[in-house]
Amino acid sequence: MARTRTTKAVAQRIDLNYFNRATPFKRAKMWLAIVAPVVALVWIGWHFFGHDNRVYSSGRLSAAHAVLEKQCAACHVQQAGGFSATAADSACLACHDGPAHHEAAKGEKLACAGCHVEHRGRVNLAATRNQSCAQCHGNLAAASDATNFAKHILSFQDGHPEFAELRTGAKGAPRDGNTIKLNHTLHMRAIRSGPNGPMVQLDCADCHRPPALQQSYWTYGDAKYISAATSYQANDEFLEISSRGLTARRAASRRELMAPPKFASSCAGCHLLTFDARFDEGVPHDKPEVIHAFLLKKFSTYIAGHPVELREVQDPRRQLTGRPNGPTVRSLSPAQWVAERVAISEELLWHKTCSQCHALTVTTLQDVKIARWDAANSQPPANSSSTGSGANAARLATSLPEIARANVTLQWMTHARFDHDAHRGFSCAGCHPNALKSAEASDILIPGIAVCQTCHAPGAGHAESRCFECHTYHDWAKRKEVKPTFTLPELMTERKLRDDAAKQ
């Protein structure tokens, strides 16, 4: 007889107490539930009794504060059962004096931790977010009663205006107010080095270098002029730096800006200040009165050693057709000879050499006809071969020209900081393309904002573009000294304990 298989019969085979039977998996879960909390408690207790507060930390501190990673109480106020969520301003100011920002700002005072967020790893705390700056500059009209700045700046790409020095205003395009005549286009092409020198190709670094490199060799300089002392002062050449930006915290490296070109190091090798064929040297690059004294001394010394030149014979080739012939021979006194040579040399200097680069004020220059064998005014007295007439001597009276102040601008970016040293891998013309086509010294050749935005933009493959890169928040010129809080043995002990724990 066949066996009948029913559901009830099959169900009777199942052990109804299977869930109470121990299995390897159940034992593993039980031990994990017991051991894990015990290990966690031991780990917490180990750090607690070892005064290592990193167990409570939400992340590692920045490199500047790494030594305080185990000392939460140094920054966070200790409350019942733990520490405050954010660092107190008083804790920050105990070590750092962060001078206030613009006094015109309205609203509540910003907390230090609002911009400088810690526990994000080894980051630069000065690298604040754009949102921190945009709290005010995103709507500056609401943050300040009156301001001359752009009122809606969210980032370098969003709302930032053209640099102030390049903005076109009611008076038209801005112009450089310096009085030095310089043609960049001419100097950027192959040019002759001196009146009779070879053709050379100048490089930007031949004239423009940061102050830290001013003592290095200059290709087109003259050691004599570089070492010579001058009577003019810096305020005769340069405009006073009137930066309206906030003073940066770090000391200048003297590589940030370019030093202004100087005649001695950049020009003297090509632009010779020679004044007479009798001498190989040039006049000093100095004020007119210094040059005048130099010429007087130079010619006086020369004629004392060459008295034969007091008797002059006119070159027949200087006789002009149709004009009455003047005296062919004349004898001069040393004073008259010196005065005439000085007059001729200064005419060359004032009218050609100096005026090629400098703006000379209107003045009465010396009357040099006395040295030109003028037939009408240089006739010798009767029965005499001498022409040292009183009329000619009277015309030696002169007033020296005045050279306009150079008014060279030392710093163009008055509201921001710039570092040429960080850009030394780029060619000068890459950022200053207008220099290749500038024929006027009044052209402002600093790059515009579009040039900077080419590299400084958000995202990978671009340079830093956040506000802190160019602007300073705290006015460190108003910083105050703070009273030291920590001792070196205390910090060194904590650091040793941390290092020992890391090795284990």
Side-chain angles (χ1 to χ4, degrees):
M1 180 178 179
R3 186 178 61 174
T4 303
R5 183 181 179 87
T6 63
T7 302
K8 182 176 181 181
V10 173
Q12 289 177 350
R13 298 180 183 180
I14 299 174
D15 184 4
L16 298 181
N17 294 319
Y18 70 93
F19 55 89
N20 292 323
R21 187 181 303 114
T23 64
F25 181 70
K26 290 181 179 180
R27 284 194 292 270
K29 289 196 300 182
M30 181 187 68
W31 283 110
L32 183 62
I34 295 174
V35 173
V38 171
V39 171
L41 291 174
V42 171
W43 180 70
I44 293 174
W46 174 270
H47 286 280
F48 176 79
F49 290 107
H51 302 286
D52 187 355
N53 297 320
R54 288 180 298 174
V55 65
Y56 313 114
S57 174
S58 58
R60 302 192 71 183
L61 294 179
S62 63
H65 294 155
V67 72
L68 300 176
E69 280 189 340
K70 297 170 62 176
Q71 301 186 30
C72 299
C75 301
H76 297 273
V77 177
Q78 194 163 6
Q79 300 172 339
F83 296 95
S84 60
T86 59
D89 282 356
S90 58
C92 300
L93 296 176
C95 296
H96 307 281
D97 171 43
H101 194 40
H102 299 294
E103 296 180 357
K106 299 188 298 184
E108 71 273 5
K109 180 181 177 182
L110 296 176
C112 302
C115 297
H116 304 288
V117 183
E118 264 291 8
H119 296 290
R120 294 182 297 141
R122 298 292 193 253
V123 299
N124 178 15
L125 279 184
T128 57
R129 303 174 302 162
N130 284 342
Q131 291 81 349
S132 300
C133 302
Q135 294 180 73
C136 295
H137 287 273
N139 187 8
L140 198 58
S144 178
D145 293 324
T147 179
N148 295 323
F149 302 103
K151 296 179 174 59
H152 301 284
I153 305 177
L154 297 178
S155 66
F156 189 49
Q157 291 73 30
D158 188 357
H160 197 295
E162 178 61 272
F163 302 143
E165 292 73 15
L166 297 175
R167 295 177 203 160
T168 301
K171 298 181 180 179
R175 309 295 289 174
D176 190 344
N178 83 85
T179 63
I180 301 298
K181 305 170 187 177
L182 179 64
N183 187 324
H184 270 90
T185 302
L186 179 65
H187 286 78
M188 292 304 293
R189 297 197 300 258
I191 191 172
R192 190 171 297 281
S193 175
N196 303 307
M199 298 298 292
V200 296
Q201 177 61 59
L202 297 180
D203 184 73
C204 298
D206 290 330
C207 298
H208 302 282
R209 297 180 187 177
L213 299 179
Q214 287 290 291
Q215 301 301 323
S216 57
Y217 172 75
W218 292 91
T219 306
Y220 302 102
D222 190 314
K224 181 187 67 175
Y225 284 102
I226 293 176
S227 60
T230 57
S231 63
Y232 53 84
Q233 305 298 320
N235 58 5
D236 294 322
E237 299 181 88
F238 314 126
L239 293 176
E240 182 181 357
I241 295 179
S242 57
S243 176
R244 290 164 285 177
L246 301 181
T247 304
R249 181 178 184 180
R250 294 184 178 179
S253 66
R254 301 182 72 236
R255 291 176 178 264
E256 295 85 357
L257 304 178
M258 289 295 171
K262 293 187 176 182
F263 173 83
S265 55
S266 304
C267 312
C270 298
H271 295 272
L272 308 181
L273 301 184
T274 52
F275 57 95
D276 191 278
R278 298 173 179 84
F279 308 100
D280 293 331
E281 62 180 315
V283 298
H285 184 258
D286 213 313
K287 293 182 177 180
E289 50 267 30
V290 176
I291 296 176
H292 183 73
F294 173 85
L295 293 174
L296 286 174
K297 180 179 179 181
K298 202 70 177 176
F299 282 113
S300 297
T301 303
Y302 177 84
I303 197 59
H306 304 80
V308 68
E309 293 195 22
L310 292 175
R311 180 177 174 83
E312 294 184 348
V313 179
Q314 186 183 30
D315 187 345
R317 293 174 297 179
R318 296 182 61 89
Q319 297 289 350
L320 300 179
T321 304
R323 293 191 62 180
N325 295 331
T328 58
V329 178
R330 64 175 185 165
S331 297
L332 303 175
S333 66
Q336 179 72 6
W337 187 91
V338 169
E340 290 186 4
R341 299 283 79 74
V342 170
I344 295 173
S345 298
E346 290 189 341
E347 181 191 35
L348 170 66
L349 293 169
W350 307 150
H351 282 178
K352 181 179 179 181
T353 306
C354 298
S355 61
Q356 186 176 5
C357 299
H358 292 279
L360 276 67
T361 58
V362 178
T363 183
T364 302
L365 297 180
Q366 294 186 14
D367 187 343
V368 296
K369 291 182 179 179
I370 55 177
R372 293 292 191 264
W373 294 82
D374 186 85
N377 298 304
S378 298
Q379 296 293 341
N383 302 322
S384 173
S385 62
S386 173
T387 59
S389 63
N392 286 332
R395 281 199 295 273
L396 291 176
T398 181
S399 60
L400 296 175
E402 293 183 3
I403 299 178
R405 290 183 56 189
N407 291 336
V408 176
T409 300
L410 296 177
Q411 180 178 356
W412 283 102
M413 308 292 285
T414 57
H415 291 288
R417 61 178 183 270
F418 179 82
D419 190 353
H420 274 100
D421 193 49
H423 298 79
R424 61 186 178 274
F426 296 90
S427 67
C428 300
C431 294
H432 302 271
N434 291 334
L436 300 177
K437 56 184 179 180
S438 171
E440 300 291 338
S442 58
D443 295 336
I444 298 179
L445 301 180
I446 63 174
I449 189 173
V451 175
C452 300
Q453 288 174 338
T454 303
C455 297
H456 294 272
H462 291 87
E464 179 64 72
S465 64
R466 285 177 288 176
C467 305
F468 78 90
E469 182 74 2
C470 300
H471 297 283
T472 300
Y473 178 86
H474 299 288
D475 187 359
W476 294 104
K478 301 178 181 179
R479 69 181 302 173
K480 301 175 182 178
E481 294 299 324
V482 297
K483 184 178 180 180
T485 304
F486 299 98
T487 60
L488 185 60
E490 176 187 1
L491 294 178
M492 292 304 296
T493 301
E494 294 289 348
R495 186 169 185 174
K496 185 177 184 302
L497 292 175
R498 182 187 64 190
D499 293 342
D500 292 342
K503 291 179 181 178
Q504 295 177 0

